[in-house]
Amino acid sequence: PVGVRINAPYKFDISGAYTDRENTLEILVRSNPAHGKHDEFMPHIPVPPSGIIGEIAVCKYEQE
């Protein structure tokens, strides 16, 4: 594991986690099951999207 995030920015330093050979990147997303449930007080409020929304990129970052 290279890190856990519960809010943005969702960036991780993977420099020590890969080799010069073939590597596999696995991303696990866990959502709270209660996130999508409605109760009697808010039955018409839309449930916002969750999970991986948008692009995923592996980028080289050089710190100055």
Side-chain angles (χ1 to χ4, degrees):
V2 294
V4 174
R5 296 285 190 275
I6 59 171
N7 62 335
Y10 302 103
K11 296 179 180 183
F12 300 91
D13 180 4
I14 63 169
S15 59
Y18 64 90
T19 66
D20 291 337
R21 299 184 190 132
E22 184 175 321
N23 296 275
T24 300
L25 176 64
E26 180 179 20
I27 300 170
L28 301 176
V29 177
R30 294 192 172 97
S31 296
N32 183 339
H35 177 75
K37 290 192 172 192
H38 289 285
D39 58 22
E40 67 247 32
F41 300 109
M42 34 196 266
H44 302 293
I45 295 177
V47 177
S50 65
I52 297 175
I53 302 168
E55 296 180 6
I56 296 173
V58 178
C59 305
K60 183 176 181 180
Y61 175 75
E62 294 184 22
Q63 198 169 14
E64 295 180 15

